[in-house]
Amino acid sequence: MIHPYMEQATLRNYINGNWVNGEKFTDVMNPATSEKIVEVPLSSEREVKEAVEAAKLAQKEWALVPAPQRAEVLYKVGQLMKERKEKIATLLTLENGKVLEEARGEVQEGIDMAFYMAGEGRRLCGQTVNAELKDKFAMSVRAPIGVVGIITPWNFPIAIATWKSFPAIIAGNAVIWKPATETPLMATELGKIFEEAGLPKGVINIVYGAGEEVGEAMVQHKDIQVISFTGSNKIGSHIASECGRQLKKVSLELGGKNAVIVMDDADLELAVEGIIWSAFGTSGQRCTACSRVIVHEDVKEALEEKLLANMKKLTIGNGLEKDVKVGPIINQDGLEKIASYIEIGKKEGATLLAGGHRLTEAPYHRGYYFAPTLFTNVTSEMRIAQEEIFGPVVSFIPVASFEEAITVNNRVAYGLSSAIFTNDVNRVFQAQRDLDTGIVYINAGTTGAEIHLPFGGTKGTGNGHRDSGVQALDVFTEWKAIYVDYSGKLQRAQIDVD
Ligand code: NAP
């Protein structure tokens, strides 16, 4: 037994309220130890079709359940997640590697999202407005869309699923969910919770399998009317073009190249804490991870010194062990990608101040560990300052002024998160206006989103939609305008004006 919380050796799909055996499987490994923890089905188009047929029938009924009653199920889901928080967090660390403290935080995000979206059951607000004509009433309401497909990544396997599935469900849709193959345990845990909370059969369906098989079948299925995707730009842009061809609604949350700006008047101790947490937390495998520090040249050396001293204190290891702050990288491919960027950075002329290598000696030899890494004297055109590395690698880019810092921050293809450390109130307000990202932090690192605010980015980070926050409802609802004429005669808008 890998861990007492691991209850099954083989996972099953959840279709129409039944846990269905798979035919082909792949192994899921613990990135901290390379041990097999479970096997997960590799489903095909057939299972996607079955799930869609079940979802279509279930959605018709579910949409007619009053939203406050739908909310009762989500309250129950939140309650069950709360009761099982430690178990879910532990399984999350086992499959994803993130340290237990962060895993608990991720599960808490899901709990918060359940209660928040359950509250929406009593709102789902539309508008009433004045009509142009006499004896006429005008309003807009949110209508469910139908069957929605959600495709999630491995780095936040439960939080992102709740950001998508809870608003979809409260709004009266049915869901087909394809979790990342690397991290399937969270889907089984959430599926069991939905079942116990009394969600009607077929309203949520979980289909495991490879992205190019199951994900692709979802994108191509004509009865899945929305795709909500979080993942890489490569897959996201492919999905966008396939959905575009079919005129299918698609919401994309993609990569980031997030920066912390440190001005000459900043509290450097605080800035270092913010950088440590947002650059090396989750081993840099967050879409909001800080991978650039845009530092005023007057404080560059002092900041480097303090950061290096703090990096030395980081404890690296298995996320289930007490006091470990930096866990493993998800897999061998992830490690290789990070290592390739170290070579790219060196060739580009950046100075490597710390790390830059894989950790291979005991106790790290079985897992996928990479040393926290700091490059300095990086310029904003270098590839290490432009491309998403997705690992514990941070680059110092010196600048001479506030204006230059803002320009450098915005000179990347992505626009997810940015942060500035300064004590100048004028700069604070200029920065929140001029930083071209969907999320801006003042005197904090680039991570730490709260679920009742919109989450997402500008430019290459997505296509204008947002996860979480009330804005997530826009992805899973259609706006319907309703006119009620109680004049007893035919009035023609824009024509019968007197
Ligand atoms: P990924 O490789 O794009 O995979 C994401 C999901 O897409 C997985 O479930 C994957 O399935 C599936 N997929 C792969 N090919 C597909 C296809 N042809 N059609 C449909 N689905 C397909 O991304 P990842 O490596 O899991 O996640 C890391 C990326 O996500 C980073 O770029 C990160 O910045 C981004 N991210 C963004 C946000 C945000 O909110 N902006 C949040 C978190 C992460 P398999 O697992 O089977 O391959």
Side-chain angles (χ1 to χ4, degrees):
M1 180 63 76
I2 299 291
H3 192 280
Y5 282 144
M6 282 294 308
E7 287 157 359
Q8 50 200 123
T10 304
L11 299 180
R12 288 178 289 173
N13 290 325
Y14 185 60
I15 299 176
N16 202 21
N18 300 310
W19 292 97
V20 186
N21 287 330
E23 285 167 12
K24 285 195 296 178
F25 299 89
T26 186
D27 293 344
V28 178
M29 318 303 269
N30 176 349
T33 60
S34 300
E35 281 172 294
K36 175 179 167 180
I37 48 177
V38 77
E39 52 187 28
V40 62
L42 286 177
S43 315
S44 65
E45 192 185 5
R46 181 172 62 80
E47 286 88 344
V48 173
K49 284 183 172 163
E50 285 169 12
V52 174
E53 288 314 306
K56 275 162 59 183
L57 283 178
Q59 193 269 332
K60 284 199 173 68
E61 299 287 318
W62 184 240
L64 297 178
V65 174
Q69 285 181 33
R70 288 183 219 138
E72 292 301 323
V73 176
L74 274 191
Y75 280 121
K76 192 82 199 291
V77 166
Q79 194 54 42
L80 289 168
M81 287 180 79
K82 216 168 157 178
E83 286 165 19
R84 293 178 201 170
K85 182 171 171 180
E86 198 57 21
K87 175 186 176 195
I88 301 171
T90 306
L91 293 175
L92 171 49
T93 296
L94 269 181
E95 67 176 0
N96 166 288
K98 67 176 64 179
V99 301
L100 192 53
E101 186 185 23
E102 288 183 44
R104 289 189 188 113
E106 181 177 343
V107 179
Q108 187 59 43
E109 263 189 64
I111 296 167
D112 295 340
M113 193 67 189
F115 292 127
Y116 174 59
M117 274 299 145
E120 281 308 308
R122 289 195 180 268
R123 282 186 294 267
L124 284 175
C125 301
Q127 300 155 319
T128 56
V129 294
N130 289 299
E132 291 173 1
L133 297 171
K134 262 206 252 168
D135 297 331
K136 194 173 171 189
F137 183 82
M139 62 184 164
S140 62
V141 296
R142 288 185 184 277
I145 300 182
V147 178
V148 307
I150 70 176
I151 302 176
T152 51
W154 52 263
N155 72 330
F156 277 83
I158 191 154
I160 291 175
T162 67
W163 294 355
K164 296 178 188 298
S165 63
F166 294 173
I169 285 170
I170 199 69
N173 301 287
V175 175
I176 315 292
W177 172 19
K178 192 212 97 60
T181 306
E182 300 284 356
T183 51
L185 295 176
M186 292 300 96
T188 292
E189 290 308 303
L190 202 52
K192 287 188 214 159
I193 285 176
F194 275 126
E195 190 180 23
E196 283 176 51
L199 188 71
K201 289 174 192 299
V203 175
I204 186 132
N205 302 274
I206 299 163
V207 184
Y208 289 117
E212 56 271 25
E213 183 86 26
V214 168
E216 202 69 45
M218 287 168 64
V219 170
Q220 302 300 343
H221 200 299
K222 68 175 179 25
D223 292 331
I224 296 184
Q225 288 123 310
V226 182
I227 294 287
S228 175
F229 170 84
T230 297
S232 63
N233 281 59
K234 179 171 166 243
I235 306 296
S237 60
H238 163 71
I239 290 177
S241 57
E242 287 304 305
C243 289
R245 205 174 42 74
Q246 302 168 67
L247 300 181
K248 184 176 287 195
K249 188 171 181 180
V250 58
S251 158
L252 305 169
E253 301 297 340
L254 309 176
K257 191 68 192 174
N258 315 292
V260 166
I261 297 173
V262 182
M263 292 310 302
D264 44 354
D265 66 331
D267 174 341
L268 295 189
E269 302 293 336
L270 185 64
V272 164
E273 271 188 66
I275 296 164
I276 288 276
W277 174 233
S278 50
F280 303 121
T282 330
S283 309
Q285 301 170 107
R286 287 175 178 237
C287 52
T288 51
C290 162
S291 65
R292 300 180 293 156
V293 173
I294 302 168
V295 55
H296 193 284
E297 58 195 13
D298 291 353
V299 291
K300 173 179 170 277
E301 273 176 35
L303 190 71
E304 272 169 15
E305 220 170 89
K306 286 181 193 296
L307 186 62
L308 283 168
N310 277 271
M311 283 169 68
K312 287 199 184 107
K313 292 187 213 153
L314 285 170
T315 40
I316 303 163
N318 186 330
L320 288 180
E321 282 165 21
K322 203 170 168 285
D323 297 330
V324 165
K325 293 287 175 214
V326 182
I329 302 302
I330 189 71
N331 56 25
Q332 182 66 26
D333 285 354
L335 270 184
E336 282 170 15
K337 181 177 174 196
I338 299 165
S340 75
Y341 274 102
I342 304 301
E343 292 314 307
I344 291 168
K346 286 186 198 160
K347 279 200 194 108
E348 286 178 314
T351 314
L352 185 62
L353 287 185
H357 55 88
R358 187 180 170 172
L359 298 171
T360 47
E361 289 182 6
Y364 304 116
H365 56 300
R366 290 207 184 86
Y368 307 112
Y369 294 94
F370 204 90
T373 297
L374 178 59
F375 275 118
T376 193
N377 302 328
V378 174
T379 59
S380 76
E381 345 34 89
M382 290 181 183
R383 283 182 64 193
I384 56 166
Q386 289 289 329
E387 297 171 18
E388 190 180 49
I389 300 173
F390 230 52
V393 180
V394 71
S395 293
F396 266 41
I397 308 173
V399 290
S401 66
F402 171 76
E403 290 71 22
E404 190 185 351
I406 299 284
T407 305
V408 168
N409 180 80
N410 294 345
R411 202 189 287 148
V412 289
Y414 300 102
L416 186 51
S417 180
S418 52
I420 181 163
F421 284 85
T422 178
N423 285 315
D424 180 333
V425 69
N426 295 343
R427 280 176 175 164
V428 165
F429 276 85
Q430 286 162 16
Q432 60 82 21
R433 180 193 62 198
D434 296 339
L435 289 169
D436 188 4
T437 50
I439 306 169
V440 172
Y441 292 94
I442 309 295
N443 291 327
T446 51
T447 60
E450 299 185 22
I451 57 97
H452 52 298
L453 278 89
F455 185 94
T458 62
K459 303 189 285 189
T461 291
N463 64 342
H465 290 288
R466 292 292 183 267
D467 267 352
S468 87
V470 76
Q471 291 76 5
L473 290 167
D474 287 336
V475 176
F476 301 109
T477 53
E478 289 285 8
W479 279 109
K480 188 180 279 186
I482 300 170
Y483 302 95
V484 182
D485 193 317
Y486 54 97
S487 69
K489 59 187 180 193
L490 183 72
Q491 301 192 85
R492 295 168 303 168
Q494 288 92 38
I495 294 176
D496 294 333
V497 285
D498 40 319

